[in-house]
Amino acid sequence: MRAPTAEHTERARDCAADAVAAFEDYNADFRAITRRAPQRFAERDWQGSQRDAVERIELYGRHVDRTVASLKLRLGPDALDRGLWHEIKRQFESLIEAMPDAEFRKTFFNSLTRTFFGTVGVSPEIEFVALDLDPLARVAEYDFMASYSNRGSLPLLFEEVLAAFHCKSPWRDFERSVRYVAEEVARHIGTLGERRPVTHVEMIRPAFYQMTRAYLVGRLVGRDWQAPLAIALKNTPSGVLVDAVMTQDADISILFSYSRSYFHVDLERVGKVVLFLKQLMPRKPVSELFTVLGRAKQGKTERYRELFRHLQTSNDRFVRAPGERGLVMVVFTLPSFDVVFKLIRDRFPAQKNIVRADVLRKYEFVFKHDRAGRLVDAQEFKRLRFPRRLFEQSLLEELLSEAALSVHEDGDDLIIDHCYTERRMTPLNLYLREASDEDAALAVLEYGQAIRDLAYTNIFAGDLLLKNFGVTRHRRVIFYDYDELCLITDCHFRELPAAQSDEDEMRGETWYYVADNDVFPETFLSFLGFSDAQREVFLKAHGELLTAEWWRGVQERIRTNEVLEVLPYGAHRVRVASSA
């Protein structure tokens, strides 16, 4: 590549400056929406919180499209000059070198060039290589933390912690909340058998907002020991109170789960906070931590980096994912990497009354909707390049014959033009075959609760077969098959009509009219394949899910704008959030 002229360099510098400014505009808009969260919480404006969540998710694509259009006008016929873009990249890197979270800016730049060039795989000359990006590399001191010393009294310690939370709403009973936190922390220390006292508490200064709750996040620290700490705050019509105290590793991990909506927390240096959270949750992938903080594009970059770094050290080959063959998706995985890849099949069987565009819309809908801890977060990838040798032969043949709209060959490589990635889970039907009676019963309870939780957020899974639900490492049941998913409020829940004659009962086909949106809850259980014991557990705990009356009741509550909370803590607690 020949050396750029002075004119070439100046033009590239101007374009790079435009790209930097475009990211700053995006980031400013992102943070402006995020900063609404404390006000939404103070005013108990839960519908406003939901609107903010969607608006913030849509920001990135809007800013990328606007910047691409602007640069196309500026560059004119040179818009696809790779030599010019190589110089733009070099100038861009120089401009952002000292900026916070510089890797976010590099990811934004990559979004621009991949949109311009439709890049397949990676083009290092015009984009930043994900394997070289490390948003945690330059993280140093935790200047976003506040430290509170224990001066001999846990209540006095947590009085100081809670007093640091500023809200326009008053506390409902501040002393009671302080006492509750102190008692829960003392109880946890006792269960650990830890005799050494808490010396201090370290808390992230900004609060984390998620739908109807605010969370104070940090850790308890003693001599040579520490434990995570998250304090859930609820704003009631009569004031703010502590609703829960989480000190278990599993509880914190569920709070920051890939199946929940993104947090709204205003952070100056996101990478620093991610590094701290990674210490609290060492098993949680960095990609998921960026994503749950609302930086979904950076989370996607991190997942790409995690995958390809893993491939450098693994001898595994891609194979079909465990579970039944999907009618809509080809699903495969790398056995040593905790992610599945899902590609849309070219053709669907007759019983699937949908087309490819419907599937794409369903995944986009889930991306923007409150996932309530029951829908897995899927990341969309385009134009990935893998060596063909990494694919088991029968999987390769299936991809090329049944997903040719999403896959093609390029020499010794396989190009995946479009796919989704999700965290791998054990399909519920497989889990129940191998689980002990006790674990199976718990999974059946979780399955019923998953259906309830989705309903409370206006989601009907559509296909309730066990194979469409997965079990996480925390033994939570999550739904991951979205092709028949729809809104509760779009469904017509009906009782089965009574047969009018013996002839009606003997017919092999349905003798009554069924519209496309008709749902008959009485029939759910007959398709699930529960054992007798599992069936009894389900009926005892969740029998009302088999009645049209229950579903119509949920519909009515949603239509009257009740916000039915599905909380990430407590024993399946679902509450109505008052906006009064």
Side-chain angles (χ1 to χ4, degrees), residues 328-344:
V328 172
M329 295 284 198
V330 179
V331 186
F332 64 90
T333 189
L334 199 66
S336 58
F337 192 69
D338 195 22
V339 167
V340 296
F341 299 77
K342 303 176 75 169
L343 281 70
I344 303 174

Side-chain angles (χ1 to χ4, degrees), residues 77-78 159 276 395 418 422 430 463 516:
D78 297 327
E159 180 179 329
F276 175 78
L395 170 62
H418 182 269
E422 299 172 356
L430 300 186
D463 190 343
D516 287 342

Side-chain angles (χ1 to χ4, degrees), residues 384-540:
L384 296 176
R385 179 185 294 271
F386 295 99
R388 278 172 43 118
R389 59 179 171 74
L390 292 181
F391 292 80
E392 188 268 336
Q393 185 60 32
S394 63
L395 170 62
L396 184 63
E397 292 170 358
E398 182 179 8
L399 290 170
L400 292 173
S401 62
E402 300 192 32
L405 293 175
S406 300
V407 179
H408 69 272
E409 295 177 283
D410 183 18
D412 292 332
D413 292 338
L414 193 71
I415 309 301
I416 296 181
D417 297 303
H418 182 269
C419 74
Y420 297 100
T421 67
E422 299 172 356
R423 274 290 290 277
R424 189 172 64 218
M425 293 174 279
T426 304
L428 180 56
N429 59 323
L430 300 186
Y431 181 88
L432 291 177
R433 292 176 196 170
E434 304 295 331
S436 66
D437 290 345
E438 181 181 0
D439 287 345
L442 290 173
V444 169
L445 292 174
E446 268 285 295
Y447 167 75
Q449 191 62 44
I451 296 172
R452 287 179 186 271
D453 289 351
L454 290 173
Y456 293 135
T457 56
N458 200 16
I459 294 292
F460 178 59
D463 190 343
L464 299 181
L465 294 178
L466 303 182
K467 69 183 181 67
N468 297 325
F469 292 77
V471 182
T472 73
R473 63 185 175 90
H474 296 300
R475 297 196 295 183
R476 301 188 73 251
V477 171
I478 310 293
F479 183 62
Y480 53 61
D481 192 329
Y482 301 151
D483 52 89
E484 293 189 27
L485 174 150
C486 62
L487 295 175
I488 291 283
T489 47
D490 288 342
C491 297
H492 181 210
F493 293 97
R494 296 176 54 189
E495 289 86 3
L496 283 173
Q500 301 300 306
S501 64
D502 292 341
E503 184 177 289
D504 287 340
E505 288 191 344
M506 297 296 292
R507 291 181 184 180
E509 72 280 356
T510 302
W511 53 268
Y512 47 86
Y513 174 74
V514 179
D516 287 342
N517 67 335
D518 281 346
V519 180
F520 300 92
E522 293 169 68
T523 67
F524 291 169
L525 203 56
S526 59
F527 300 105
L528 300 183
F530 282 147
S531 68
D532 289 344
Q534 292 163 4
R535 183 187 183 96
E536 183 178 347
V537 168
F538 183 88
L539 288 172
K540 184 176 181 180

Side-chain angles (χ1 to χ4, degrees), residues 54 57-58 357-369 371 377-378 380 420 482 485:
V54 174
I57 285 170
E58 292 176 341
D358 295 328
V359 179
L360 295 172
R361 281 194 294 270
K362 296 292 175 67
Y363 274 82
E364 183 179 8
F365 168 76
V366 170
F367 180 53
K368 297 176 182 179
H369 194 76
R371 287 184 288 280
D377 188 32
E380 185 179 29
Y420 297 100
Y482 301 151
L485 174 150

